[in-house]
Amino acid sequence: MKLIGSYTSPFVRKISVLLLEKGLAFEFVNDPPYEAQTRVGEHNPLAKVPVLLDEHGEAFYDSRVIADYLELLPAGPRFVPDDRALALRVRRGEALADGVTEAASLLYRESLRAAGKQDEAWMLRQRDKLQQGLDALEALAQEKALLNGEQLTLADIAAGCALGYLNFRRILPNWCVGRPALVKLAERLFARESFARTSPP
């Protein structure tokens, strides 16, 4: 298998962590989609990463779709429960963490624009999404069931990548204040080999 993406993408990191945790062999192809010479569009018409090419060359894209594909493979462990109701709730946690990541990514992109061209009202909305999303993740982490429980889930991995991205891009530096369960979750996840090996440069 080949994983196409960028070392700095939190969504690519999510898939990298899954592959490592499952012990699946893969080749990583560093191809940042924002660079002029990118070839990502040859595999994903939306020219977004991550893209996973299976052994037959079939392309899967969008991190949630790729995660579904990896869960179908016989390699273990599983990160989504077999019980459909529980699986839906784990996937909801994943979607929440991915939404935090997306808001953080949009904020970072906007911050790269000249100060006079930044849309402050739009950035404020993204910061509100971040705060609300993190508060919801904290509540889930405190329950220690589908997130921050004994068994690692896809929601955990997505949340860990979201928090790692906040740290990496220095977005909302005080995110940890008042969120002790998320801090403990981050500490536990970042100590795992899969997260240590995928830390952005």
Side-chain angles (χ1 to χ4, degrees):
M1 288 189 291
K2 288 185 179 180
L3 176 61
I4 302 171
S6 168
Y7 291 119
T8 60
S9 166
F11 295 110
V12 172
R13 187 184 192 187
K14 180 171 77 169
I15 300 306
S16 297
V17 168
L18 274 174
L19 288 164
L20 291 170
E21 289 283 348
K22 287 177 174 290
L24 291 166
F26 68 100
E27 174 189 351
F28 186 80
V29 179
N30 186 40
D31 189 357
Y34 293 104
E35 293 187 2
Q37 67 271 26
T38 182
R39 300 180 62 184
V40 173
E42 296 176 12
H43 306 289
N44 179 357
L46 301 176
K48 296 174 68 175
V49 293
V51 176
L52 185 77
L53 301 181
D54 70 7
E55 62 270 23
H56 305 294
E58 183 175 2
F60 295 89
Y61 38 85
D62 186 278
S63 69
R64 289 182 221 175
V65 172
I66 297 172
D68 276 344
Y69 169 75
L70 295 178
E71 285 291 288
L72 292 175
L73 299 180
R78 299 286 303 279
F79 296 103
V80 177
D82 290 328
D83 182 276
R84 294 181 66 182
L86 289 176
L88 181 65
R89 285 161 177 78
V90 166
R91 299 312 298 265
R92 181 176 61 188
E94 178 198 15
L96 177 61
D98 283 355
V100 167
T101 302
E102 184 67 27
S105 178
L106 292 172
L107 267 176
Y108 172 70
R109 290 276 165 205
E110 186 70 9
S111 73
L112 297 179
R113 301 177 68 192
K117 295 184 178 180
Q118 293 177 9
D119 187 334
E120 289 297 329
W122 184 86
M123 293 178 76
L124 181 60
R125 287 197 297 273
Q126 300 308 316
R127 290 191 188 98
D128 286 344
K129 288 181 185 180
L130 270 180
Q131 295 283 12
Q132 293 167 16
L134 287 168
D135 286 344
L137 284 175
E138 170 68 16
L140 281 177
Q142 287 183 11
E143 293 175 5
K144 295 186 177 181
L146 303 176
L147 183 72
N148 199 28
E150 292 184 7
Q151 186 166 344
L152 191 68
T153 71
L154 187 54
D156 288 309
I157 293 172
C161 291
L163 299 175
Y165 187 72
L166 291 178
N167 291 343
F168 172 58
R169 294 299 190 192
R170 295 180 174 86
I171 298 169
L172 204 68
N174 63 342
W175 69 262
C176 55
V177 176
R179 299 185 178 106
L182 281 185
V183 171
K184 289 184 178 179
L185 174 64
E187 290 173 349
R188 180 163 62 94
L189 291 175
F190 295 164
R192 297 180 75 90
E193 182 182 0
S194 59
F195 274 87
R197 287 178 59 183
T198 58
S199 182

